[in-house]
Structure formats: structure tokens, C-alpha cells
Amino acid sequence: MNDRKMHVIKMAHHLFINKGFQATSIQDILEESGISKGTFYNYFPSKNELLIAIIKTLHANMEKERDELLIGQDPTDIDIFVKQVELQLKTNRANKLIYLFEEMYFSNDDELKQFIQKGHLKIIHWLYQRFIDLFGENKKAYFLDLAIMFKGILQQNLKYNALLNEANKSSIYEVVHYSVNRLVKLVDDLATTKEQLLSPALLENLFPEYHNKHAFQQEVAASILELKKNLHQTDQQEKYNELLDFIHQELVQAKVPRKFLIKSVILSLKSEEELFSKDELLKLEQFFAL
Amino acid sequence: MNDRKMHVIKMAHHLFINKGFQATSIQDILEESGISKGTFYNYFPSKNELLIAIIKTLHANMEKERDELLIGQDPTDIDIFVKQVELQLKTNRANKLIYLFEEMYFSNDDELKQFIQKGHLKIIHWLYQRFIDLFGENKKAYFLDLAIMFKGILQQNLKYNALLNEANKSSIYEVVHYSVNRLVKLVDDLATTKEQLLSPALLENLFPEYHNKHAFQQEVAASILELKKNLHQTDQQEKYNELLDFIHQELVQAKVPRKFLIKSVILSLKSEEELFSKDELLKLEQFFAL
DNA sequence: TTTATTTTTGAACTGCCTGTACAACTTTAT
DNA sequence: ATAAAGTTGTACAGGCAGTTCAAAAATAAA
């Protein structure tokens, strides 16, 4: 994407969060970004498509940052989860993404509607996956319901916190923390009462590719965590952390992980026979064998 | 309001729930209801005002029906609460009120925004009041948070139930029941952990008139329930139930309860000295003394 | 029935909006 | 220098909400 186009996206984003999407006219955007009408419709087929472009870039950045928070960390650590949620909300708030999201929901344009709905489902799906990390696969049956309810609790808490408590506004962290505490209680609740509204199968059908990928990533992550176990005993901790984190990151971020690069890193890990269990390294190697 | 105007409201309502508010043009409304543009702007100052008129009538009806469900019933009975919530959602869904509500939230018109925001707060407030009935005044401190979270849980459960589970759609009753079960657990949770985000004082400041009125109504309702206690022993149960329910209804529904009418009913209750405690009747009488 | 009053009508108008078309102009690569 | 690609701005089509107003129709009063 060329610089000029990026500039238009930036200025339009500015206008949208200040005036709202509907209330911003094409003319406003032209004046703000100093381009002509012809150029605008050369860049974007319509105002709606411009909005989609904006949200796509913002959303992609947010997802990347969020997933980076998990690299080299214990996925069962709930504090990391809190930080991830907080990050999403902060970038959301800064961009007033939520607002744009909701506003779009009522557009007459079907494409826009589809787009935003998929966005919401992606968030639910991410929560679902993280709940598997956090609370264990065995309670999986309740995690779709929990993801949905957690989203509701969080959204409403944020909304009314901003609305009713302007003077003494709690930080986002407090609201997230409070909401996560409720979530933990609801996990116990459902684990004992075994009530279920929606089966997770519904979600897994919607994201089949992601799903296999994620299961794979999870296994690798567990393997890497296992390998890190003995690391604190050595003075080379930093070095091996770097190597292991690299493998993790390459796996999570790259669309096509660089297989040979990873294999060569594993090879150098093999030289440290006392630190790393041979079996575990072999297992890790096999993940990239295909 | 004249018949013709009502007819326009009805037809416009039809169009709004089928096509959406934004997507319905004034022209559509004119054609659908067979009036001229001149007449339309004679009835309503703008399209927005028409929408407000529609929602006001629908909302008033819903509130009336909802509150009627409680007349002559035990306010601590959670099944009644479930039925009330269900009723609201059913009329909401039938009217697609929620949808219109949310769509309006992103209008450029400030008046519309204010109006819808107040609507949401009224729902929160109603939940808050009912939680006092249901779970006792002593846990009151957590009921604003709980009302907010319950609204979030319910909304999201309904939304994703409709979205993901089209084939095997759970009835509204099931979703409400499930959500209320979570609520009950969260009441216990907060009663023990004593965590609080928002103080109920914030709500009470927003609805001061209502508040005194409600406390008063609650006392009367408790008094009437007390008087009903011995009623099952008699063959005149039906008669006295009718009388007591009348007092209750007059109190809840009438803007200015007909004082003398109520007093005369109480007088006829007094004749049954074995059934009704004299003290309780005196107490009831005093409520209307002023 | 006639007259007076109120309500309704519909067309013409303002001013805003999104999106299209396109010939003239400018910048960038070859 | 020439070709290709990108940019410009105006004119235009079609749609929207809302205003104005004189003429027509319905209703009420005499």
C-alpha cells in the first residue's frame, strides 16, 4: 500500500473517531487529506470499503501485539490473559474501534455487516482458545458459553463504568480484573452444574483451519515450556531463552514458518545434552518434519 | 392522538423492523401509510421524532405488562422474575425493539442518543430494584454491578444463540433461565468476596423520585402479602384476593391512586376480624393517610 | 345549505449526500 | 523524449430529509 493511500486512511480514521462514520462525508475526507475526489475513488471503491480497510489494519496490529504478549510466557498464567484483554481494550478505546464496530452493525450494506460479525466471532474464538489454555481442556464444553458471557460482562462493565462513574473512573485494568474474577467463579459454577447452552463444536466448525493450526501450536508451546524447565540452573539461560522464544515466535507469527531455520536452531540446542531432554527435542523436531 | 396519526406510527413501525430505520425513507412511509408529505410533517417534526414516538408507545406497553406480572405475586419469587424478563425479551424481539434501540445509538442526533441512553438506564434500574426484592436489601451494594453484568450476559447469550445455533434454537425461556442461574451464583460470589465496581448511589441519584415511590410501594406490597397469609383457610379466598390485588394494582399502576376508593376497600376488609390482623390493616391504612 | 375553520395535499424547492465519468494535467518510469 | 501511470476537478445522476405554500378537501358551525 502506497504512502498516499495510507495517509488517507489515517486522516479518515481521525475523522471517523471524532465525528462518527455516518457523520463524516467524503468531502470532509478529501479536505482533511488533501486529495481529489477522483483519487479517492481510485483508492477505495466506496466509503464502506475505506472503513473496512481502516478496521482491518487496526485489527491486525492489535492481534499481533496481543499474541506477542504470550510469546515465551506460560499460557496458563491468568495475569497474562488479563494483560492481553487490557491491551485489546486500550487499543480499542484509543481507536474507538468498538464504537465504529457497533455503528457499522446497522449499516445498510450487507458486506459491512458480514465483516463486523466475523470480527465479533473472531474475538469469541480467541477467548475460547485462551480459556482452554487457562482452565484446561477437560472443561472445554463450557468455554463457548463462558466466552460469550465474559464478552458481555466486560462490555457492559466498561460501558456503564464510563457512563455512570465519570468522576472516579476506574482504570481499564480494574474493570478487566473484576470481570475476570467473575469469569473464574463462573468456570467453577459450570464445571459443577454442567449446564450448557451452546456446544463449542459450533465454533470449531466456523474456524476449521485455525483450529488444527492452534492445536498444533499448543503442542509446540507446551514442548518449548518443558524444555525451558531446567534453564534457570545455567548461566546460559539468556541464550537458550532467546533460541526457544525464536522458535515459538516463528511458529505463531509467520504464515509459513521457516522450517530449515528452525531445524538448525534445534540442532544447536541438541549440543547441550545435560540441559535438554533428548526425547523432548526429538518431539519438537518431529513437529517440523513434514 | 388521532387515528390517522396512530396508523402512520403503525405502518412506520412495520417498515422500520423490516428494513431498518436508516434504510426506510420518508417516501416509503408516505406510500405505505397513504398520506402526503405535508401531513407527515404536520404530524411529526422529523423522522427521528417519529421513531421516538414509536419506541415510547412500545416501551410503555411493555413496562405495563411486565409490572402487571408482579401484581398479587411474591416479589421474592425468582420464577416471576424470569417470566418478567422473558416477557420483555419477547415483546422486544417481536418489535425488534432492541435492534432499533441499538441502531439509534449511532445516530448523529443528540436527542435520539440521550433518549436511548435513558432507556438503557431504566432497564438497569428496574433490574436493580428487582434484585433488592429477590436477594435482600443487605446485599444491595453489589446489585448495580450485578444488574449491569446480568444485562451483558443475557444480551450476548441471546445474540450468539440466535447467530450460532439457528437450527436448534433454544427458546428464550431456556436462555433466560440459564442466565439467571449464572446471576444467582454471582450474587453469592460478590456477597463473599465483597468486590464492587460501581456504587448503587450512582443509580439512586439518577432516579430520585422513583426511588421514594418504590420504597413506599415495596412496604405496601409486603403488607398486602402479610394480609394474604391466612386467606387459604377461607372459602372467601377469591373475594379477598380480588380486593387486596385491587389495592396493589391501584398503587402500582395509577399515577394518583384513588385514596378514598382504597380506604373504602380497607374498611370492608376490617369486617373480617378473624382473617386479617388489626395491626396490619391499620398499617396499610396509614400508608394512604396523607 | 351556506359559511367558516381546520386539515390535507402535492409539487416545487433547498441543500445535503454518495458515487460515476472523463478529459486535462502532472508525475514517474523507460 | 516518450510512454505509462497516477491525479485532478468539474459536471452529472440519483437519492435523501426537510420547507414552503397555495389550492383542494373534509369537517364543524351557522
Side-chain angles (χ1 to χ4, degrees):
Chain A
M1 199 175 298
N2 74 58
D3 282 2
R4 205 124 180 268
K5 195 169 169 184
M6 281 302 291
H7 180 246
V8 176
I9 285 185
K10 202 173 154 189
M11 299 322 265
H13 177 210
H14 241 170
L15 286 170
F16 288 169
I17 62 178
N18 286 327
K19 301 179 62 173
F21 175 65
Q22 315 252 22
T24 302
S25 71
I26 303 266
Q27 197 52 47
D28 292 336
I29 299 169
L30 303 185
E31 281 161 22
E32 190 78 8
S33 52
I35 59 163
S36 72
K37 204 167 190 177
T39 306
F40 180 91
Y41 281 102
N42 187 23
Y43 287 158
F44 312 100
S46 72
K47 195 179 154 192
N48 283 346
E49 290 297 323
L50 162 61
L51 181 55
I52 289 182
I54 289 174
I55 295 192
K56 266 186 182 163
T57 51
L58 295 176
H59 205 77
N61 286 343
M62 184 272 282
E63 274 187 334
K64 193 174 159 241
E65 277 187 70
R66 178 194 70 190
D67 293 343
E68 271 172 2
L69 276 180
L70 204 58
I71 286 169
Q73 302 285 341
D74 180 4
T76 68
D77 183 352
I78 204 159
D79 285 334
I80 305 289
F81 174 69
V82 171
K83 276 184 190 133
Q84 285 186 303
V85 172
E86 210 189 342
L87 175 84
Q88 289 181 74
L89 295 174
K90 272 187 179 157
T91 59
N92 262 347
R93 179 155 299 192
N95 302 316
K96 288 209 195 157
L97 236 188
I98 292 180
Y99 196 87
L100 284 178
F101 246 59
E102 299 295 330
E103 186 176 356
M104 269 164 60
Y105 203 80
F106 303 99
S107 141
N108 304 330
D109 187 301
D110 271 351
E111 198 194 343
L112 262 179
K113 261 190 204 172
Q114 292 281 112
F115 178 74
I116 156 77
Q117 212 162 61
K118 191 151 192 179
H120 282 147
L121 280 171
K122 267 169 102 173
I123 289 170
I124 293 288
H125 189 245
W126 179 79
L127 287 170
Y128 170 71
Q129 298 288 357
R130 290 293 282 121
F131 289 175
I132 293 178
D133 295 341
L134 288 166
F135 307 116
E137 186 115 16
N138 56 322
K139 294 175 194 158
K140 192 170 143 177
Y142 314 109
F143 291 161
L144 174 53
D145 287 331
L146 282 166
I148 290 166
M149 291 192 285
F150 179 69
K151 182 163 165 262
I153 288 173
L154 195 61
Q155 275 181 358
Q156 295 291 308
N157 272 338
L158 283 164
K159 176 176 167 180
Y160 286 99
N161 211 71
L163 190 70
L164 291 177
N165 208 10
E166 278 183 83
N168 174 32
K169 206 179 291 187
S170 313
S171 70
I172 291 187
Y173 176 80
E174 281 174 75
V175 177
V176 174
H177 203 259
Y178 178 92
S179 303
V180 169
N181 285 349
R182 296 316 125 235
L183 168 68
V184 172
K185 284 288 160 54
L186 287 179
V187 173
D188 289 343
D189 171 18
L190 292 183
T192 55
T193 63
K194 298 194 189 307
E195 287 184 69
Q196 191 195 44
L197 266 186
L198 295 175
S199 158
L202 294 162
L203 251 197
E204 294 182 8
N205 288 338
L206 283 175
F207 299 88
E209 0 61 61
Y210 187 97
H211 225 253
N212 304 331
K213 200 176 146 202
H214 183 82
F216 170 73
Q217 285 185 356
Q218 231 187 353
E219 281 187 66
V220 179
S223 189
I224 282 175
L225 214 69
E226 183 64 33
L227 284 167
K228 275 190 180 176
K229 251 187 182 168
N230 300 323
L231 232 56
H232 57 92
Q233 302 166 0
T234 171
D235 52 345
Q236 300 211 302
Q237 181 175 2
E238 202 183 342
K239 172 184 170 186
Y240 291 119
N241 251 325
E242 193 178 306
L243 294 182
L244 288 166
D245 282 350
F246 168 77
I247 296 176
H248 195 171
Q249 179 152 4
E250 183 72 11
L251 181 81
V252 174
Q253 304 227 318
K255 281 180 185 168
V256 182
R258 286 164 287 185
K259 214 191 291 184
F260 300 106
L261 188 56
I262 292 172
K263 280 191 180 172
S264 93
V265 174
I266 293 177
L267 200 70
S268 68
L269 291 175
K270 274 187 178 164
S271 64
E272 284 286 355
E273 295 189 26
E274 303 111 51
L275 272 176
F276 306 114
S277 111
K278 245 184 185 168
D279 286 350
E280 202 61 44
L281 278 178
L282 216 69
K283 203 169 133 196
L284 190 61
E285 215 170 4
Q286 279 169 348
F287 285 134
F288 300 94
L290 307 175
Chain B
M1 199 175 300
N2 77 57
D3 281 2
R4 205 125 181 268
K5 195 169 168 183
M6 279 304 288
H7 180 245
V8 177
I9 285 185
K10 203 174 154 190
M11 299 322 266
H13 176 211
H14 240 170
L15 287 170
F16 287 171
I17 62 178
N18 285 327
K19 302 179 59 172
F21 175 65
Q22 314 252 20
T24 302
S25 71
I26 303 268
Q27 197 53 45
D28 294 335
I29 299 169
L30 303 185
E31 281 160 22
E32 190 79 7
S33 53
I35 60 164
S36 71
K37 204 166 191 176
T39 306
F40 180 91
Y41 281 102
N42 187 23
Y43 287 158
F44 311 101
S46 71
K47 195 178 154 193
N48 283 345
E49 290 296 323
L50 164 60
L51 181 56
I52 288 183
I54 289 175
I55 294 191
K56 267 186 181 161
T57 50
L58 295 176
H59 205 78
N61 287 342
M62 183 273 282
E63 274 187 333
K64 192 175 158 239
E65 278 186 70
R66 177 193 71 192
D67 293 344
E68 271 173 2
L69 276 181
L70 204 59
I71 287 169
Q73 302 287 341
D74 180 4
T76 67
D77 182 352
I78 204 159
D79 285 335
I80 305 289
F81 173 69
V82 171
K83 276 183 190 134
Q84 286 186 304
V85 172
E86 211 189 341
L87 176 85
Q88 289 181 73
L89 295 174
K90 272 187 180 156
T91 60
N92 261 348
R93 179 156 301 191
N95 302 316
K96 289 209 195 156
L97 237 187
I98 292 181
Y99 196 87
L100 284 178
F101 246 59
E102 298 296 330
E103 186 176 357
M104 268 164 61
Y105 203 81
F106 302 99
S107 139
N108 305 330
D109 187 301
D110 271 351
E111 199 193 345
L112 263 178
K113 262 191 205 172
Q114 292 280 113
F115 178 73
I116 158 77
Q117 212 162 63
K118 192 150 192 179
H120 282 147
L121 280 171
K122 267 169 102 172
I123 289 170
I124 292 287
H125 188 245
W126 179 78
L127 287 170
Y128 170 72
Q129 298 288 357
R130 291 292 281 119
F131 289 175
I132 293 177
D133 295 341
L134 289 166
F135 307 114
E137 186 115 15
N138 56 321
K139 293 173 194 159
K140 193 170 143 177
Y142 314 109
F143 290 160
L144 175 53
D145 287 332
L146 282 165
I148 291 166
M149 289 192 286
F150 178 70
K151 182 165 167 259
I153 289 173
L154 195 61
Q155 275 181 357
Q156 296 291 308
N157 273 339
L158 283 164
K159 176 174 166 182
Y160 286 100
N161 211 71
L163 190 70
L164 292 177
N165 208 9
E166 277 183 85
N168 173 32
K169 206 180 288 184
S170 314
S171 71
I172 292 186
Y173 177 79
E174 281 175 75
V175 176
V176 175
H177 203 260
Y178 178 94
S179 303
V180 169
N181 285 351
R182 297 316 123 236
L183 168 68
V184 172
K185 285 287 161 54
L186 287 179
V187 173
D188 289 343
D189 171 17
L190 291 183
T192 56
T193 63
K194 299 194 188 307
E195 286 183 69
Q196 191 195 45
L197 265 185
L198 294 175
S199 159
L202 294 163
L203 251 197
E204 294 181 8
N205 287 340
L206 282 176
F207 299 87
E209 359 61 63
Y210 187 99
H211 222 88
N212 304 330
K213 200 177 148 201
H214 183 83
F216 170 72
Q217 285 185 355
Q218 230 186 355
E219 282 187 67
V220 180
S223 189
I224 283 176
L225 214 69
E226 183 63 31
L227 284 167
K228 276 191 179 177
K229 252 188 182 167
N230 300 322
L231 232 55
H232 56 94
Q233 301 165 2
T234 172
D235 52 345
Q236 300 212 302
Q237 183 176 359
E238 203 184 342
K239 171 184 170 186
Y240 290 120
N241 250 324
E242 194 178 303
L243 293 182
L244 287 167
D245 282 350
F246 168 78
I247 297 177
H248 195 172
Q249 180 154 4
E250 184 71 13
L251 181 81
V252 173
Q253 302 226 318
K255 280 180 186 167
V256 183
R258 287 164 287 187
K259 214 190 294 184
F260 299 106
L261 187 57
I262 291 172
K263 279 191 179 172
S264 92
V265 174
I266 293 177
L267 201 67
S268 68
L269 292 174
K270 274 187 178 164
S271 63
E272 284 287 352
E273 293 192 26
E274 304 109 51
L275 271 176
F276 306 114
S277 112
K278 244 185 183 167
D279 286 351
E280 201 61 45
L281 278 177
L282 216 70
K283 204 170 134 195
L284 190 61
E285 213 170 5
Q286 280 170 348
F287 284 134
F288 300 93
L290 306 177

